[in-house]
Amino acid sequence: EDMLQNGTVVNGVMIERPHRFHTACTIATQIITAVASSQYGGATISLSHLAPFVRDSYNKFYNKYIRWGFDEIQSAKFAKIDLEEDIKDGVQTFNYQINSMATTNGQAPFLSVFMYLGETDEYKNELAMIIEEFLNQRIVGIKNKVGVYVTQSFPKLLYVLEENNINKDSKYYYLTELSAKCTAKRLVPDYISEKKMKELKEGNCFPNMGCRSFLSPYKDINGNYKFYGRFNQGVITLNLVDVALSSNKEIDKFWELMEERTELCHKALLVRHNRLKGTSSNVAPILWQNGAIGRLSEDENIDSLLYDDYSSISLGYAGLYECVKYMTNNSHSDKSIGHDFAIEIMNYLNTKCDLWKSNENIGYGLYGSPIESTTYKFAKCLKNRFGDDVFIQIDGRDRDYITNSYHIPVFEEIDPYSKLLIESEFQALSLGGAISYVECADLTQNNEAVLNMMRFIYDNIMYAELNTKSDYCQICGYDGEIKIIDE
């Protein structure tokens, strides 16, 4: 919002406030690419920051027809037609730019787009128009190199479920129905429950960086909450499975190792923090001087942004399931000793973050690390250290991965509603980063099932996603679910 409304500088070129939606979309993608080239990890923007330019476009078109001599009714009719085209072209440009431009690391910007009607009252209808077009274009997909429409990777879409779009009689329920259709076809959007987030985040609802990083609530010097322009200093992830196996099921040894390993993570996080201290704003002007994160002066260091919760720094964790299963012989999904032990671990990790934060005034937060390929790296390390049968020892199943963050393992028999309900308790203890998934078969012919799940998410969990099938055959061009069978 700051960069679009007040102007910015990219590559030494002054970019002033745009005067129509299409132009704002183009400038936004240029900013995003420049920002993504000056950092690692992902970034998020909000569509509410583009909404004012929809009204600018309408006024521009309306005044054009008035100048041409049309009356007010005709001018409004023609301006609306022009506006629809401008929104369509702007969103198409946005998608093309994000997926065709490469950052300095050689890939498209890792971008999430936040769609939250409750973020604006003045421009709510304009925002709804943008959200609708983003969903429509994502359903269609984007053409690959042979001209077939496929599911694009970016931007990730974050759709907020709220009172004015969750019920069938809600004004914007049509967007929720469209969102469900998009999820069934193209995997996104992810869903944020305004109700649950406000319970957990001091009455606020704000975006994460897809797929799970969340900032803590923060107030500026005027006492106003601020979420945009903030950042994360980095993550260090604790392998909980290694802690458990190293303890050989001795509970006192386990907690002794937890103390040792968390303090090792603390030390590593301070290496990241101290590496950033003293950095000059000249290192990345787009971030520190021209509005993406700050408006610091030339040669000023960034230290003021590293404290007081303005930025976060994350203690990650992985393998809660295997850790608890090994120590208690129960899954953390059981309302038993396994569940209680898992909660004890989560509380311990949060206590550590709170202690470090109070001692150092640095924004430590607990983060359910996505770890991605590290699920395999950690598993390989465990097998090298404890033997190839290490997972047999844990739960009788051999595999080459550990379970992500607090998740219930994929092989555990459980219905999706129970899974989300159980994981919501752990998500509330992982506020620096958390997401829950439901794995689904083809739902393109069952929109009501997706809508039922969305209503459940709204009532029960802060952030969740449906992983649906999005298949494409490179031989015949078939676009639909491809069954995985022996043949």
Side-chain angles (χ1 to χ4, degrees):
E1 183 176 41
D2 181 7
M3 303 173 89
L4 288 173
Q5 291 293 339
N6 302 316
T8 188
V9 176
V10 178
N11 277 356
V13 176
M14 170 67 74
I15 299 177
E16 297 179 332
R17 186 191 186 280
H19 299 294
R20 55 179 285 196
F21 177 74
H22 193 170
T23 310
C25 286
T26 302
I27 292 172
T29 58
Q30 292 168 343
I31 291 171
I32 289 160
T33 304
V35 167
S37 292
S38 300
Q39 65 170 45
Y40 76 93
T44 300
I45 67 158
S46 174
L47 291 184
S48 70
H49 296 166
L50 288 168
F53 302 100
V54 173
R55 189 172 299 179
D56 286 349
S57 284
Y58 175 82
N59 291 336
K60 188 180 183 71
F61 298 137
Y62 177 83
N63 291 331
K64 175 184 71 175
Y65 289 111
I66 291 291
R67 287 197 311 273
W68 288 1
F70 293 95
D71 62 33
E72 291 181 359
I73 294 175
Q74 290 175 313
S75 296
K77 177 183 176 181
F78 295 144
K80 186 177 178 182
I81 293 171
D82 284 356
L83 180 64
E84 289 173 356
E85 285 301 309
D86 195 53
I87 293 172
K88 183 177 179 180
D89 291 347
V91 173
Q92 185 179 53
T93 297
F94 188 99
N95 282 314
Y96 277 148
Q97 294 276 83
I98 291 301
N99 286 277
S100 64
M101 295 195 300
T103 67
T104 50
N105 65 10
Q107 64 183 29
F110 194 120
L111 179 70
S112 299
V113 166
F114 189 50
M115 305 188 295
Y116 179 26
L117 292 163
E119 200 167 22
T120 177
D121 290 324
E122 184 178 0
Y123 297 103
K124 197 182 297 289
N125 289 333
E126 287 89 347
L127 176 57
M129 295 168 73
I130 304 173
I131 292 172
E132 183 176 15
E133 188 58 36
F134 261 89
L135 291 170
N136 278 327
Q137 291 197 24
R138 182 56 66 94
I139 290 168
V140 172
I142 202 164
K143 286 185 178 180
N144 65 8
K145 61 184 180 182
V146 296
V148 176
Y149 284 102
V150 296
T151 299
Q152 67 198 64
S153 297
F154 298 110
K156 196 172 184 68
L157 304 181
L158 310 171
Y159 185 84
V160 178
L161 303 170
E162 50 193 296
E163 277 300 311
N164 62 9
N165 68 16
I166 193 61
N167 299 309
K168 290 185 178 181
D169 59 353
S170 303
K171 180 178 180 179
Y172 297 102
Y173 186 69
Y174 71 96
L175 291 177
T176 300
E177 290 183 303
L178 191 62
S179 184
K181 182 180 177 182
C182 188
T183 286
K185 178 71 174 176
R186 300 297 183 192
L187 287 93
V188 293
D190 295 356
Y191 296 103
I192 292 174
S193 166
E194 179 192 51
K195 179 168 72 173
K196 297 304 292 185
M197 181 181 276
K198 283 187 172 183
E199 290 175 9
L200 298 170
K201 297 282 191 179
E202 299 180 11
N204 295 283
C205 182
F206 54 91
N208 61 302
M209 189 287 290
C211 59
R212 74 192 65 206
S213 304
F214 281 97
L215 292 165
S216 300
Y218 165 84
K219 290 183 179 179
D220 62 21
I221 57 174
N222 299 314
N224 299 315
Y225 282 105
K226 176 178 173 59
F227 299 103
Y228 298 103
R230 293 172 60 205
F231 63 102
N232 184 275
Q233 298 179 37
V235 183
I236 297 293
T237 298
L238 175 63
N239 185 342
L240 292 171
V241 194
D242 192 293
V243 178
L245 290 164
S246 298
S247 76
N248 200 28
K249 295 194 176 184
E250 295 178 21
I251 193 66
D252 289 341
K253 181 66 173 176
F254 175 83
W255 290 114
E256 181 184 318
L257 286 168
M258 282 289 284
E259 176 69 20
E260 178 185 304
R261 302 285 177 85
T262 52
E263 286 303 327
L264 182 62
C265 289
H266 181 206
K267 183 178 179 180
L269 287 168
L270 283 173
V271 169
R272 290 188 178 276
H273 171 80
N274 290 328
R275 179 64 181 84
L276 287 169
K277 279 176 64 176
T279 298
S280 169
S281 66
N282 296 340
V283 166
I286 189 73
L287 298 183
W288 312 114
Q289 297 173 5
N290 299 317
I293 292 173
R295 294 280 187 177
L296 303 177
S297 58
E298 289 187 14
D299 300 316
E300 186 177 356
N301 70 45
I302 68 170
D303 292 10
S304 62
L305 305 178
L306 301 178
Y307 294 94
D308 297 317
D309 276 345
Y310 187 88
S311 56
S312 60
I313 192 164
S314 305
L315 173 62
Y317 63 93
L320 183 65
Y321 159 73
E322 286 85 359
C323 171
V324 170
K325 184 73 172 179
Y326 177 78
M327 295 298 294
T328 69
N329 295 319
N330 282 281
S331 170
H332 63 305
S333 64
D334 298 332
K335 285 292 183 179
S336 64
I337 186 175
H339 166 270
D340 294 346
F341 186 59
I343 294 296
E344 191 176 359
I345 292 171
M346 297 294 289
N347 284 331
Y348 177 89
L349 296 173
N350 274 294
T351 299
K352 278 291 184 181
C353 289
D354 291 343
L355 175 65
W356 301 336
K357 182 187 291 189
S358 66
N359 288 342
E360 300 160 11
N361 195 25
I362 300 171
Y364 291 97
L366 188 60
Y367 176 78
S369 300
I371 70 175
E372 298 165 346
S373 62
T374 309
T375 57
Y376 304 104
K377 179 181 179 180
F378 275 0
K380 184 178 179 180
C381 291
L382 291 171
K383 287 189 174 185
N384 288 339
R385 193 165 177 196
F386 300 102
D388 287 339
D389 65 343
V390 62
F391 290 103
I392 301 294
Q393 297 174 45
I394 293 172
D395 61 11
R397 295 173 179 267
D398 188 26
R399 55 189 181 279
D400 59 357
Y401 61 90
I402 70 168
T403 302
N404 205 320
S405 63
Y406 59 79
H407 294 166
I408 295 169
V410 292
F411 46 75
E412 196 167 295
E413 292 291 334
I414 190 169
D415 70 88
Y417 300 95
S418 298
K419 179 181 189 290
L420 290 184
L421 198 58
I422 292 166
E423 290 189 352
S424 67
E425 185 177 2
F426 292 93
Q427 196 168 105
L429 295 171
S430 190
L431 293 179
I435 187 172
S436 289
Y437 301 100
V438 172
E439 302 291 337
C440 305
D442 182 18
L443 290 175
T444 53
Q445 305 304 312
N446 195 354
N447 215 44
E448 191 56 39
V450 183
L451 288 165
N452 283 339
M453 183 60 66
M454 290 161 69
R455 283 188 281 270
F456 189 83
I457 291 167
Y458 174 71
D459 285 325
N460 293 283
I461 192 165
M462 181 175 69
Y463 183 43
E465 172 185 297
L466 277 67
N467 281 342
T468 54
K469 295 273 282 182
S470 183
D471 297 334
Y472 157 66
C473 177
Q474 297 182 37
I475 305 299
C476 71
Y478 173 79
D479 182 14
E481 183 178 22
I482 298 174
K483 301 287 187 180
I484 300 174
I485 57 176
D486 290 344
E487 293 80 14

